[in-house]
Amino acid sequence: FPNLTEDQRAKFDALESLYRDWNSKINVISRKDMGSFYLHHVLHSLAISKMISFSDGATVLDVGTGGGFPGIPLAILFPNVEFTLCDSIGKKIKVVEGVATSLGLKNVKWVNARVETLPQKFDYIVSRGEYLNAKLMAEYLGYTFVDSAEWLVFNYNGKVDFELSYA
């Protein structure tokens, strides 16, 4: 990601220590996996950006965000896109709130709710961990499914101008 601003670099640099601190209080990432934090969580989340670049002003819903993946890294990468991170488990949303607030992410909202209760439509839905539930819910809500082997991107009421293929 050669075009990152200094602010984006600083935010990415701060992620691991923030998550280590939160993980010591609320287990949101396997402690065995913290040694590969940037590879397994941050870069994995940012892989979405290699297939789609969200337009400025777009709205993105992260379904089943857990501790904020892929939403937090994507919000850093796309500061002019509005992200809503949704999870039905309150302690996970507490982590999202803490991390987003510490980083000063003004483009992130967090919601402790089930996705089907949200009244707003979004331009895109992304998800990592809730593959089947997110796919079924998004299709039920009228989103077009764009698939990848590792994560989901859905587009609402718009044309996706590329095709994703399995590696």
Side-chain angles (χ1 to χ4, degrees):
F1 300 95
N3 298 322
L4 294 177
T5 66
E6 286 303 314
D7 182 59
Q8 288 170 312
R9 289 179 194 278
K11 287 175 179 170
F12 281 123
D13 287 344
L15 280 178
E16 185 174 10
S17 64
L18 286 169
Y19 276 100
R20 282 189 184 280
D21 181 53
W22 275 104
N23 217 40
S24 70
K25 303 170 200 168
I26 299 171
N27 188 26
V28 291
I29 297 173
S30 167
R31 286 175 172 76
K32 294 183 289 184
D33 206 27
M34 284 303 295
S36 300
F37 173 77
Y38 282 103
L39 178 63
H40 291 172
H41 299 283
V42 177
L43 287 176
H44 187 260
S45 296
L46 294 176
I48 295 170
S49 71
K50 292 302 180 184
M51 300 305 287
I52 188 167
S53 182
F54 302 113
S55 302
D56 287 355
T59 58
V60 179
L61 173 64
D62 178 358
V63 176
T65 190
F69 299 100
I72 295 284
L74 289 173
I76 295 170
L77 189 63
F78 296 103
N80 297 319
V81 173
E82 295 299 317
F83 289 85
T84 299
L85 283 59
C86 179
D87 204 288
S88 63
I89 300 174
K91 69 180 183 177
K92 293 180 180 181
I93 289 300
K94 185 175 180 177
V95 173
V96 168
E97 178 183 6
V99 171
T101 301
S102 293
L103 293 173
L105 294 176
K106 304 293 185 206
N107 62 331
V108 173
K109 297 175 189 164
W110 46 89
V111 180
N112 179 204
R114 295 193 52 82
V115 67
E116 62 268 25
T117 66
L118 300 180
Q120 179 184 353
K121 289 286 188 184
F122 296 86
D123 297 316
Y124 297 92
I125 296 178
V126 295
S127 183
R128 271 183 74 200
E130 297 292 323
Y131 182 87
L132 182 58
N133 291 339
K135 181 177 186 294
L136 293 173
M137 184 55 58
E139 289 174 345
Y140 172 77
L141 295 173
Y143 288 78
T144 303
F145 179 51
V146 181
D147 192 9
S148 164
E150 294 294 325
W151 38 261
L152 303 176
V153 176
F154 300 93
N155 179 262
Y156 186 75
N157 242 3
K159 181 175 180 280
V160 177
D161 59 355
F162 60 86
E163 292 181 16
L164 298 177
S165 59
Y166 290 96

